[in-house]
Amino acid sequence: MDFQVGLMDIDICGPSIPKMLGLEGQEIHQSNLGWSPVYVESNLGVMSIGFMLPNPDEAVIWRGPRKNGLIKQFLKDLDFLVIDAPPGTSDEHISIVQFLLATGIDGAIIVTTPQQVSLIDVRKEVSFCKKVGVEVLGVVENMSGLCQRLTDFRFVKLTENGEQNDITERILGYMREKAPEMLDLIACSEVFDSSGGGATQMCEEMGVPFLGKVPLDPHLCKAAEEGRSCFADQKCGVSAPVLKSIIEKLLVTNQWREELMQMRE
């Protein structure tokens, strides 16, 4: 959308952003002006502890003051930030709230999976935000069922001893000949138990907005593994439209688009 965006990865113990954006091996540089981010595009700058590790397999064992010092340095020269935080309510969350609350935090977007085991932790995140005065902009239900085209499935037939015989070509051939209209169908199945109502029910109970459900899309997973944008091609046809819808909803609800356009004028 041509906005100037900074993406900051404050998951110090498990930085995954460099991998997901195809930036492994890149380095950030420090000068008297502060840290210089790594740019994916001209309008997307990224900061991550992952850029500072000589070996991607190396563990980062930092505690309190050192973690907080690094986060504070990262924040100095970025204007518009999306901050990717680890699960929980640890040092990183408390630090980011302390450093940014005075300058104004628009709010937090909380991500969960549908099952109660995940929602128990997420309820604590919502309570944390309310306690420290950070508005919850909304909740996203991730991995909300497996969805993919029928033609992307591998079909197998189990033998009596549990071995799998691949019959994919036979099934696809049958569909092409007898029911070609099925080739465009998308199959969906629940992966996690959502009988408790999932994130939608939790949002109603806790009085926070629900932003949408992102399905478990193998093509999205592959794009993240390869450091590709899911919007760059048509391969993530199941998940990309949902993600775009969530972004649009955030922009409209918070009037960010109008405010940014006015600033440009």
Side-chain angles (χ1 to χ4, degrees):
M1 297 180 182
D2 201 31
F3 295 132
Q4 295 294 322
V5 178
L7 174 59
M8 180 175 166
D9 179 7
I10 62 166
D11 190 348
I12 288 175
C13 295
S16 56
I17 290 296
K19 169 78 172 172
M20 295 175 71
L21 294 182
L23 299 174
E24 284 185 302
Q26 298 286 334
E27 294 180 356
I28 53 176
H29 302 283
Q30 187 179 19
S31 67
N32 57 353
L33 297 176
W35 295 99
S36 300
V38 174
Y39 282 88
V40 188
E41 304 285 349
S42 60
N43 64 334
L44 177 56
V46 182
M47 301 294 281
S48 172
I49 185 65
F51 297 137
M52 303 174 73
L53 300 178
N55 184 336
D57 296 330
E58 187 171 322
V60 182
I61 307 172
W62 288 2
R63 291 292 179 265
R66 195 173 181 193
K67 272 186 177 181
N68 297 346
L70 181 70
I71 290 170
K72 197 170 184 178
Q73 277 186 303
F74 274 2
L75 291 175
K76 282 183 180 176
D77 300 310
L78 298 174
D79 297 318
F80 301 93
L81 282 174
V82 176
I83 299 173
D84 178 30
T89 51
S90 59
D91 291 340
E92 290 92 331
H93 303 80
I94 296 165
S95 300
I96 213 73
V97 170
Q98 288 175 341
F99 297 149
L100 287 183
L101 205 53
T103 60
I105 299 175
D106 287 296
I109 300 165
I110 296 176
V111 183
T112 183
T113 46
Q115 78 277 32
Q116 289 299 316
V117 172
S118 176
L119 290 167
I120 288 169
D121 294 333
V122 167
R123 286 174 183 271
K124 294 173 185 173
E125 297 271 6
V126 174
S127 298
F128 170 82
C129 289
K130 290 181 177 180
K131 186 175 287 187
V132 298
V134 174
E135 181 184 352
V136 176
L137 300 175
V139 176
V140 175
E141 186 175 278
N142 195 24
M143 303 184 188
S144 185
L146 171 66
C147 290
Q148 63 184 119
R149 294 187 180 279
L150 271 181
T151 51
D152 288 337
F153 275 94
R154 186 170 69 92
F155 296 90
V156 299
K157 188 172 183 178
L158 290 178
T159 63
E160 290 183 358
N161 59 4
E163 292 180 356
Q164 297 181 353
N165 288 335
D166 193 316
I167 56 170
T168 304
E169 281 307 313
R170 200 168 92 197
I171 296 297
L172 292 179
Y174 182 87
M175 282 195 286
R176 290 188 198 101
E177 182 182 349
K178 303 292 185 180
E181 68 278 6
M182 291 181 66
L183 297 172
D184 293 326
L185 293 179
I186 293 172
C188 297
S189 174
E190 282 198 2
V191 177
F192 299 108
D193 177 28
S194 60
S195 58
T200 312
Q201 180 68 30
M202 185 205 70
C203 287
E204 289 178 9
E205 293 171 0
M206 300 196 77
V208 294
F210 180 67
L211 294 174
K213 299 183 177 185
V214 181
L216 183 56
D217 176 4
H219 286 291
L220 179 62
C221 300
K222 187 173 175 61
E225 284 289 304
E226 296 175 352
R228 290 187 291 107
S229 167
C230 68
F231 301 109
D233 50 42
Q234 302 300 313
K235 292 180 180 178
C236 302
V238 174
S239 54
V242 182
L243 289 166
K244 187 176 180 183
S245 171
I246 289 170
I247 295 164
E248 291 281 5
K249 190 180 293 186
L250 278 167
L251 287 171
V252 171
T253 305
N254 295 281
Q255 299 180 316
W256 291 337
R257 185 193 295 276
E258 290 80 358
E259 290 174 8
L260 288 167
M261 292 304 179
Q262 287 172 8
M263 286 169 62
R264 290 180 183 184
E265 291 171 1

